[in-house]
Amino acid sequence: YVPVKGDHVIGIVTAKSGDIFKVDVGGSEPASLSYLAFEGATKRNRPNVQVGDLIYGQFVVANKDMEPEMVCIDSCGRACGMGVIGQDGLLFKVTLGLIRRLLAPDCEILQEVGKLYPLEIVFGMNGRIWVKAKTIQQTLILANILEACEHMTADQRKQIFSRLAES
């Protein structure tokens, strides 16, 4: 993955040094994330971020000559769903092409998945998906479906979704 300014990505906090977190986003080098780049963060009120936490953020600096920089707020200082992702859930990797297909406005796959189980899902443009359903079994089923969708035709998908809806 090559970081692109404005991309929303899922990263893993790998180190904490002073005021900066190092975040693995799957690129050639880790991105830096300031503790002030969270909603409501001040010098006194620091966000509770630990090494190993999953972060959903956006690149503000991304070019080949500089280390990528992330924030977890939009231009108005609001989180808008960004920040530390919940503890339970499953993180897995898919191809960048599948991510783009799933994020397309007319994506049938997400509509079908949403009918199966209540779920939380986060897509990173770096090819990472975090998903959480009510049970671990449902979470694994959803992850397997999303991974398999890349190589299925529309008819094959319909068959699988109808079989799952029956069970």
Side-chain angles (χ1 to χ4, degrees):
Y1 172 72
V2 178
V4 177
K5 183 179 178 181
D7 267 7
H8 288 77
V9 295
I10 298 173
I12 304 163
V13 178
T14 56
K16 209 173 171 180
S17 57
D19 299 345
I20 303 285
F21 301 108
K22 292 291 179 193
V23 183
D24 168 34
V25 291
S28 59
E29 61 179 330
S32 62
L33 173 66
S34 168
Y35 76 96
L36 291 170
F38 290 85
E39 184 175 16
T42 61
K43 285 189 182 251
R44 279 194 177 164
N45 182 22
R46 286 176 171 247
N48 183 20
V49 178
Q50 304 301 322
V51 172
D53 282 353
L54 295 178
I55 297 282
Y56 180 61
Q58 181 178 15
F59 285 118
V60 286
V61 173
N63 64 41
K64 62 182 171 44
D65 304 319
M66 292 172 66
E67 175 185 57
E69 243 178 78
M70 285 175 72
V71 294
C72 292
I73 48 176
D74 63 8
S75 57
C76 302
R78 297 269 172 249
C80 295
M82 290 184 277
V84 178
I85 299 175
Q87 294 301 317
D88 308 329
L90 179 67
L91 179 72
F92 59 99
K93 288 183 179 176
V94 295
T95 62
L96 300 181
L98 180 60
I99 289 284
R100 286 190 170 81
R101 220 165 89 200
L102 290 168
L103 288 173
D106 56 345
C107 179
E108 300 161 1
I109 301 168
L110 279 185
Q111 294 168 359
E112 293 294 327
V113 166
K115 290 175 191 170
L116 285 177
Y117 309 118
L119 72 141
E120 291 177 56
I121 193 163
V122 179
F123 296 105
M125 289 302 287
N126 54 345
R128 292 180 178 165
I129 299 177
W130 177 85
V131 67
K132 178 186 175 189
K134 277 186 179 171
T135 67
I136 294 171
Q137 183 183 8
Q138 289 177 353
T139 302
L140 291 171
I141 289 171
L142 291 170
N144 287 331
I145 289 172
L146 289 169
E147 281 181 323
C149 275
E150 185 169 20
H151 307 292
M152 281 193 252
T153 64
D155 292 337
Q156 290 172 323
R157 277 198 312 266
K158 282 178 187 150
Q159 285 178 345
I160 286 184
F161 284 125
S162 64
R163 265 193 248 143
L164 278 168
E166 290 166 12
S167 62

